[in-house]
């Protein structure tokens, strides 16, 4: 019997385990397998294969039973996920339903999740800005968190590395707060967007308006063709899954690339319960997994483990990984695991009209829009709040469709709508301050369907966030007025944290094991063979979208981990 046990353990032993198959997990899998490691990728959700498992991606609007709208019973049963802009009849199968995976809201928090191979990389907004030293220096300069253990120079070559593979479109804008990258051709502006850019350049010295940088292949390079991906078709239904691979997703890019090495074992329907820590060896030896279908527990073993379950689930797994050595969670000697969670403040927005360029309109679609990089508190503290915000911006021609008539007359009315003036709009993307009072923890009594403690979330806004919202509304109103826009309307929708879908922290990087959980290589300070490279690792949030940074940190950490393994240091 002992020999059977040894054989079973051997069958379940790999060089590396990656927990999660989303943006960061996919990159970890690609890099580990590319360096020759037999890698097990554990995904708690179902399998989703590129192209074949995108059931709505080629449907026309009239082919949906409810013309794309959610049924009332779906909305009523899912008050949280129904708030997400990308959740509708064509994409609902990629989102976690409220009742299926419960959590505890100590404070209101809208947790948006996608449990399947590829995770949320199938439905993300695809904005990919680099961080700068304004972001990595921020905590040390302002004193609102611990100092990052890295600077821009440490991650810059890894930004370049992942950008070339993923395919990022954009302009070389030469901005210190938003470093340039390895760009494919940018998307085009329309005339009113160019007008706004020119007016801002004339009236302000420090408020550039640029075209967004997005993970869309505008001109395929050989590396993209080798992945089997094609040029983006600008369909703007990306959240259904793209059969062309025109935008970056784990499903279209990193997971198939890892699979072709023959070194990857992908195991969907595998809910990670905890990480196994061997006190005699002083290292993690594997993970415990609950089979999502049978509810049976199973163990898998590896020399190194990458935790990429998405920020809050990564916190949950580590908190649930207890032992005599770590009674409060894996690596949690300082008691900070789950604390200093932060997010992006997307509450505010502004809209207006413009009566110029009535001889022009737009044609076709564009999966991107202009972007206003952060301009507040860059070179000095100039406001009564810390840090700052970026903003999206877009413009389009107002179109009124005439639905009257039958047959040819109806068709003629539909394809020739009545045009009004132009609408313009912007939304806020603010940085929130990591605080000890913003935390996640395990609930002491409630369990999920797999017998794992439910996550308790206590995350909220503070006075800094309120001041930032006020400033965004004031400054954008001034900028819209300066551009000649009229009928300006502002909003603060008071949305709950979480709806930004950019939660970060809880397992933050830092220089000192007393004040952080991870070192500069994303290693747990006290468990050197466990790495965290998803949103949980972030020390602060910046104003930029974080996904590109997760990709770069993942590739960088794998490179370090494999070198350490080869040197027998891990």
């Amino acid at each position: 019997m002992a020999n059977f046990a040894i054989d079973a353990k051997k069958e379940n032993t790999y060089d590396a385990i990656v927990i999660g198959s989303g943006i960061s997990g996919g990159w970890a899998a690609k890099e580990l397998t590319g360096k020759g490691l037999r890698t097990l990728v554990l995904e708690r959700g179902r399998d989703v294969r590129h192209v074949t498992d995108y059931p709505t991606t080629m449907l026309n609007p009239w082919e949906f039973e409810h013309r794309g709208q959610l049924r009332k019973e779906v909305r009523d049963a899912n008050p949280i996920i129904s708030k997400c802009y990308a959740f509708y009849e064509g994409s609902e199968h990629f989102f976690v339903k409220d009742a299926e995976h419960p959590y505890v809201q100590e404070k209101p928090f809208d947790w948006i999740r996608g449990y399947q191979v590829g995770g949320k990389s199938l439905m993300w907004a695809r904005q990919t800005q680099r961080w700068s030293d304004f972001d990595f220096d921020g905590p040390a300069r302002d004193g609102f968190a611990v100092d990052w253990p890295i600077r821009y120079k440490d991650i810059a070559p890894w930004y370049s590395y992942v950008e070339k593979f993923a395919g990022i479109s954009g302009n070389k804008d030469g901005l210190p707060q938003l470093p340039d990258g390895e760009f494919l051709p940018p998307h085009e502006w329309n005339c009113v967007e160019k007008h706004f850019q020119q007016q801002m350049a004339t009236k302000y010295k420090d408020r550039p308006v640029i075209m967004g940088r997005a993970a869309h292949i505008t001109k395929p390079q050989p590396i993209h063709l080798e992945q089997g991906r094609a040029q983006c078709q600008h369909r703007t239904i990306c959240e259904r899954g793209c059969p062309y691979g025109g935008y970056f997703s784990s499903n279209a890019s990193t997971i198939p690339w890892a699979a072709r090495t023959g070194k990857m074992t992908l195991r969907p329907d595998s809910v990670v319960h905890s990480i196994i820590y061997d006190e005699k060896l002083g290292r993690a030896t594997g993970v415990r997994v609950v089979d999502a279908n049978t509810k049976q527990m199973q163990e898998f073993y590896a020399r190194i483990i990458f935790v990429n379950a998405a920020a809050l689930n990564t916190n949950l797994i580590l908190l649930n990984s207890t032992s005599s050595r770590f009674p409060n969670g894996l690596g949690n000697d300082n008691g900070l695991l789950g604390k200093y969670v932060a997010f992006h403040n997307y509450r505010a927005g502004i809209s207006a009209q413009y009566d110029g360029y009535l001889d022009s309109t737009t044609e076709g679609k564009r999966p991107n829009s202009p972007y206003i990089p952060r301009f507040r508190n860059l070179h000095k503290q100039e406001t009564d709040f810390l840090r700052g915000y970026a903003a999206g911006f877009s413009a389009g021609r107002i179109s009124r469709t005439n639905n009257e008539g039958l047959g040819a007359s109806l068709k003629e009315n539909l394809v020739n709508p009545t045009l009004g003036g132009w609408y313009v709009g912007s939304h806020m993307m603010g940085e929130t301050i990591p605080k000890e009072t913003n935390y996640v923890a395990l609930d002491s009594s409630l369990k999920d369907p797999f017998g794992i403690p439910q996550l308790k979330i206590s995350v909220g806004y503070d006075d800094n966030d309120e001041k930032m919202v006020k400033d965004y509304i004031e400054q954008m109103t001034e900028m819209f007025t300066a551009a000649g826009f009229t009928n300006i309307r502002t909003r603060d929708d008071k949305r709950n944290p979480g709806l930004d879908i950019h939660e970060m922290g809880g397992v933050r990087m830092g220089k000192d094991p007393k004040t952080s959980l991870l070192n500069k290589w994303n290693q747990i300070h006290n468990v050197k063979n466990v790495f965290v490279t998803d949103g949980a690792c972030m020390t602060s949030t910046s104003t930029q979208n974080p996904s590109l940074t997760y990709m770069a940190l993942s590739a960088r950490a794998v490179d370090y981990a494999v070198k350490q393994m080869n040197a027998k240091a891990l």
Side-chain angles (χ1 to χ4, degrees), residues 58 113 118 168 220 223 226 260 273 293 458 516:
M58 300 303 287
R113 293 164 288 173
I168 310 298
I223 188 61
E226 192 177 348
R260 73 173 66 176
H273 174 279
N293 298 312
S458 183
S516 61

Side-chain angles (χ1 to χ4, degrees), residues 5 19 38 69 86 133 302 312 347 356 376 384 450 464 491:
I19 301 172
R38 290 180 60 250
Q69 300 299 307
D133 273 333
L312 299 191
R347 276 172 36 185
R376 285 307 224 183
D384 62 350
F450 309 101
N464 200 73
R491 70 178 186 277

Side-chain angles (χ1 to χ4, degrees), residues 173-245:
D173 298 299
L175 301 175
Q177 73 268 42
L178 202 71
D180 292 329
E182 310 291 336
F183 294 143
L184 302 174
H187 289 103
E188 295 182 4
W189 304 70
N190 64 46
C191 54
V192 174
E193 292 166 348
K194 288 295 291 183
H195 164 79
F196 183 66
Q197 180 194 46
Q198 292 161 0
Q199 290 297 307
M200 294 305 98
T202 300
K203 293 176 169 60
Y204 299 95
K205 296 180 180 179
D206 61 347
R207 302 193 182 187
V209 182
I210 68 171
M211 178 50 65
R213 292 145 184 204
H216 285 268
I217 298 177
T218 52
K219 183 179 181 181
Q221 300 301 299
I223 188 61
H224 306 128
L225 299 177
E226 192 177 348
Q227 294 173 50
R229 298 168 62 197
Q231 185 166 323
C232 172
Q233 302 298 299
H234 290 198
R235 302 190 310 154
T236 66
I237 50 174
C238 311
E239 60 282 341
R240 300 186 199 174
C242 179
Y244 309 101

Side-chain angles (χ1 to χ4, degrees), residues 415-488:
V415 299
N416 293 291
T418 301
L419 296 177
W422 290 77
Y423 64 85
V424 295
S426 170
H427 65 279
M428 172 190 183
M429 296 179 278
E431 177 170 359
T432 67
I433 306 304
K435 310 183 285 290
E436 190 170 9
T437 52
N438 276 353
Y439 68 89
V440 296
L442 301 183
D443 191 88
S444 58
S445 57
L446 295 174
K447 306 285 186 182
D448 71 8
F450 309 101
I452 298 170
Q454 289 187 29
L455 193 66
K456 180 169 57 179
I457 303 176
S458 183
V459 173
Y461 294 106
D462 63 13
D463 186 56
N464 200 73
D465 302 320
E466 301 295 338
K467 291 177 179 177
M468 194 180 291
V469 167
K470 182 174 181 288
D471 189 79
Y472 165 87
I473 289 174
E474 289 174 350
Q475 298 305 311
M476 291 305 299
T477 299
E478 176 186 301
M479 292 160 68
F480 272 31
T481 302
F485 300 155
T486 59
N487 194 22
I488 297 172

